[in-house]
Amino acid sequence: MRIATLLHNPVAGDEAHTKDKLIALIESRGYKCHYSSVKEQGLDLIHEDTEFIIIAGGDGTVRKVAKQLLLDKSPASHLPIALLPMGTANNIARTLGISGEPETIIRQWATMQPRTIDIWDVDNLPGARFFCEGLGFGVFPQLIAEMRHHDEELSDSPEKRMEVALGTLHDITVSYKPRHCVVIADGTDYSGDYIMVEVMNMQCIGPNLVLAYEANPGDGYMEIVLIAEGEKDELARYISDRISGVASFLKCKTLKARNVKIQWEGHLVHVDDELIEMKEIKEISLSSEGKILHFMVPGT
């Protein structure tokens, strides 16, 4: 019998994903399950006999757990992590090929394999020391800022929140004025005027926008997505297709790099799903210092 600790966001999911029902599901597959609420106990109650960690929640919950595992140098940071995606977007789980109802995913754990995922260091940005999904400037941080006005009214409706987010992002995109961004990737200068600059570890961000189709979060490279004003219509078209439910592909410039220096002529930046307002414009450095986590993913 394998032993797990369930780190659960109790406000994620629906009535089928309560503490007691999740524990019952997990133990019905032959696992012993300890429990901690990320809203209350955090990682203080990862039991010493734990063989793998279960995160039940969305991308924000994954980031919260990663922060405690890595920055607090937890002895549990070497343990494999199994995801039960229960957020609005679940971009990390999507990139890792994890989807379906909890019952389906739990059944798959027996055949899943651990996969190393890079965690990227952020230097010279107060309020952020790493990113799991991505870091960026332009239309997407503006979306996060504007969606704060809808947090309360949309808190119980992930589908409606996704719909409002896409519509808001479309409006932002068509009216957004480009700003200059210094981008130095592995020593090569890609600076220019852009409406969106995203440095990504996962394939998608926000309301499931697939921007970095070839991103492999364990290959030691960041994906840099650069969208200039001349590509604004293409981005708006892609978002419109998403709103309409049309399968679509975004054509945009994408680079790979191990080290990035970036400076945006603005004050809003997002790090994963967190919005940071910079008090002054400064150069931010992104690199890897060997920080990794291990996620259980479907076998190939």
Side-chain angles (χ1 to χ4, degrees):
M1 177 183 292
R2 296 192 68 191
I3 304 170
T5 291
L6 170 63
L7 302 177
H8 177 221
N9 181 356
V11 301
D14 53 33
E15 293 181 358
H17 305 140
T18 63
K19 167 187 174 180
D20 292 339
K21 290 181 179 179
L22 285 174
I23 291 174
L25 272 176
I26 293 165
E27 294 190 337
S28 72
R29 303 302 300 179
Y31 301 100
K32 179 180 178 181
C33 183
H34 302 299
Y35 178 90
S36 289
S37 166
V38 296
K39 292 292 185 181
E40 299 170 4
Q41 300 154 319
L43 301 185
D44 295 336
L45 291 181
I46 291 186
H47 290 248
E48 293 183 359
D49 61 354
T50 297
E51 296 175 70
F52 70 102
I53 297 168
I54 304 164
I55 301 178
D59 295 319
T61 304
V62 176
R63 177 177 173 81
K64 182 175 182 178
V65 173
K67 183 175 182 179
Q68 291 186 263
L69 286 173
L70 295 171
L71 301 188
D72 295 346
K73 298 181 179 179
S74 167
S77 62
H78 70 285
L79 295 175
I81 297 169
L83 297 181
L84 290 177
M86 296 178 183
T88 302
N90 303 311
N91 290 317
I92 295 173
R94 285 174 181 271
T95 297
L96 299 179
I98 301 168
S99 63
E101 292 299 314
E103 298 93 323
T104 302
I105 296 172
I106 292 168
R107 285 198 301 270
Q108 295 172 347
W109 286 349
T111 57
M112 284 188 175
Q113 301 295 321
R115 177 179 174 186
T116 299
I117 302 302
D118 303 312
I119 307 296
W120 294 93
D121 289 286
V122 178
D123 185 52
N124 203 32
L125 178 60
R129 294 171 60 185
F130 73 94
F131 71 85
C132 299
E133 296 176 72
L135 175 151
F137 305 89
V139 297
F140 186 60
Q142 189 64 42
L143 172 66
I144 296 176
E146 295 195 19
M147 286 299 292
R148 286 180 169 179
H149 301 300
H150 302 284
D151 281 346
E152 187 172 344
E153 64 184 277
L154 299 174
S155 60
D156 296 327
S157 178
E159 295 81 8
K160 184 64 176 178
R161 184 175 183 82
M162 187 75 74
E163 178 185 333
V164 171
L166 286 168
T168 303
L169 181 60
H170 183 273
D171 292 344
I172 292 170
T173 297
V174 297
S175 62
Y176 198 89
K177 302 299 183 184
R179 298 196 179 197
H180 189 72
C181 188
V182 175
V183 182
I184 310 296
D186 288 343
T188 301
D189 192 339
Y190 297 96
S191 302
D193 295 338
Y194 300 104
I195 65 166
M196 173 185 277
V197 174
E198 289 291 332
V199 183
M200 300 178 64
N201 194 37
M202 300 294 162
Q203 294 174 355
C204 43
I205 61 168
N208 298 149
L209 296 177
V210 183
L211 303 180
Y213 294 87
E214 297 182 359
N216 176 350
D219 67 356
Y221 286 91
M222 295 171 273
E223 301 277 336
I224 308 166
V225 178
L226 304 172
I227 299 182
E229 184 172 28
E231 298 157 311
K232 178 187 291 188
D233 290 346
E234 174 67 11
L235 177 59
R237 188 271 314 161
Y238 172 65
I239 298 169
S240 293
D241 286 348
R242 285 291 324 283
I243 294 171
S244 302
V246 176
S248 185
F249 181 89
L250 175 65
K251 298 176 183 178
C252 58
K253 185 173 185 177
T254 305
L255 315 167
K256 282 184 175 289
R258 294 182 183 273
N259 296 277
V260 175
K261 294 185 183 298
I262 190 166
Q263 183 172 309
W264 174 259
E265 295 296 324
H267 294 280
L268 291 182
V269 55
H270 82 90
V271 181
D272 295 339
D273 62 353
E274 296 181 5
L275 182 67
I276 296 175
E277 185 169 356
M278 300 183 294
K279 294 183 178 180
E280 59 181 305
I281 296 172
K282 56 177 62 180
E283 182 181 84
I284 300 167
S285 296
L286 310 174
S287 62
S288 173
E289 293 183 2
K291 289 186 177 68
I292 59 172
L293 289 174
H294 305 276
F295 287 82
M296 293 169 57
V297 303
T300 56

